[in-house]
Amino acid sequence: MSTEPFERVAERFELELYGGVFERRYRKLRPEVEAMPWGTLSAGRLSEQQLLAARKAWTGAAFQEHRTGIACCATLRALLEARAPLDLIALAARFPLDELVHVELCARMAMELGGGTEILYDPLDVVVDASSDRTPLARAAELIVRFFCVGEALSIPLLRGTWRAARHPLPRAVLGCIVRDEAAHGTFGFTFLDWALPQLTAEERAILGPAADQAITAVRRLWSDIRNRPTTDRAPVDGDALAFMETEAYLTLAARAMDEKVLRPLRARGIALREFPDGAQRELRSG
Ligand SMILES: [Fe+2]
Ligand SMILES: [Fe+2]
């Protein structure tokens, strides 16, 4: 029998705006969203199957951005609890708003194509929090490694590749905005680590490798799912920018990004990964 006072049921991923003065204030914070060429996407030349694949891809992207927003908030709290440098925290305080904007952009792209598709999820089980038995600084470092040094660091080259593949002005504007924001997110993790690592004990540093491994494994699983998917289930490359994320070119870029933006920088900081257990001692494989 469950010990929780309520039943944990899957909820539908749906969004709303409150509107009025609150929406106007939000719009003022990020005026570029309304300036995008909404209403110009014609889905007419897509088959029903292709359209559904595109709607699914953008809805999935909106959900991923929502997850990242929660990850940014969890990290932000840990940074405050760890009393990280105020200017670093202030920079990270912008990230949740950025992610909310990305959620809206991706959700609106799905709407442009006919509407979002159904995603059921447990809102209380979106991200894994830091180990509870660690100091505030070690907890912040753990979350930074998992969410920023892996996920966010990877997102810069991958989103830039997706943005380059976009032809239509609307997805180009949407992805261009996301790419600009992500540039700051993607480098933040290593900036924080360079400040935090000298203050961590050897034992605290040792948990960062497995934390990174966990995030790396999750990302690799996602990529192998894409690779094994039959091509008939993939979105059309011309019809939707996100379809680039299901091509061989994307997977090649992804493997390179993992090496250059994640594995090498972590290893250079002496973090022992499953793939490079001896820290910075060994030469890296190339390619
Ligand atoms: Fe994002
Ligand atoms: Fe981000």
Side-chain angles (χ1 to χ4, degrees), residues 8-256:
R8 294 273 287 271
V9 288
E11 291 184 22
R12 197 163 279 133
F13 177 61
E14 281 173 339
L15 304 164
E16 62 177 317
L17 285 166
Y18 193 80
V21 69
F22 301 100
E23 186 183 352
R24 284 200 295 279
R25 284 182 192 162
Y26 164 55
R27 296 294 173 215
K28 249 188 172 164
L29 291 171
R30 298 298 296 258
E32 69 271 35
V33 172
E34 286 297 77
M36 289 177 191
W38 299 109
T40 59
L41 203 60
S42 151
R45 60 196 180 85
L46 299 182
S47 72
E48 213 166 292
Q49 194 187 12
Q50 289 173 328
L51 193 61
L52 181 65
R55 286 170 53 208
K56 263 190 189 160
W58 283 106
T59 310
F63 182 67
Q64 286 308 322
E65 297 288 357
H66 174 79
R67 276 189 72 192
T68 311
I70 295 175
C72 285
C73 291
T75 311
L76 192 56
R77 175 184 173 167
L79 290 172
L80 281 157
E81 286 172 346
R83 294 188 310 280
L86 191 137
D87 46 357
L88 281 188
I89 304 177
L91 199 74
R94 208 198 69 185
F95 299 164
L97 175 61
D98 291 345
E99 301 301 352
L100 275 175
V101 169
H102 304 169
V103 171
E104 188 194 358
L105 292 174
C106 295
R108 278 174 76 162
M109 282 299 296
M111 298 304 288
E112 294 271 315
L113 293 159
T117 53
E118 186 173 78
I119 292 181
L120 293 171
Y121 76 115
D122 181 347
L124 295 178
D125 193 23
V126 174
V127 299
V128 178
D129 209 353
S131 316
S132 55
D133 55 349
R134 301 275 165 192
T135 64
L137 187 65
R139 283 167 56 84
E142 181 187 345
L143 292 186
I144 283 281
V145 162
R146 272 201 276 120
F147 297 144
F148 281 82
C149 297
V150 181
E152 297 290 283
L154 273 176
S155 75
I156 307 180
L158 296 183
L159 279 162
R160 201 177 292 140
T162 312
W163 169 68
R164 284 208 187 102
R167 295 280 166 267
H168 188 280
L170 181 59
R172 268 193 82 77
V174 164
L175 289 161
C177 169
I178 298 177
V179 165
R180 273 192 302 280
D181 290 341
E182 293 299 341
H185 303 197
T187 51
F188 182 79
F190 291 104
T191 306
F192 171 82
L193 270 194
D194 289 340
W195 169 80
L197 281 174
Q199 304 171 59
L200 294 174
T201 64
E203 192 214 342
E204 286 169 341
R205 279 198 298 271
I207 65 159
L208 299 181
D213 284 330
Q214 193 188 349
I216 291 166
T217 303
V219 174
R220 287 203 196 283
R221 199 174 303 132
L222 211 71
W223 292 343
S224 81
D225 281 355
I226 294 175
R227 187 170 286 116
N228 296 332
R229 208 174 292 165
T231 41
T232 45
D233 289 352
R234 297 180 184 181
V237 174
D238 291 342
D240 178 20
L242 279 202
F244 170 72
M245 295 174 72
E246 300 181 358
T247 62
E248 279 309 312
Y250 176 85
L251 293 169
T252 306
L253 179 67
R256 202 171 63 220

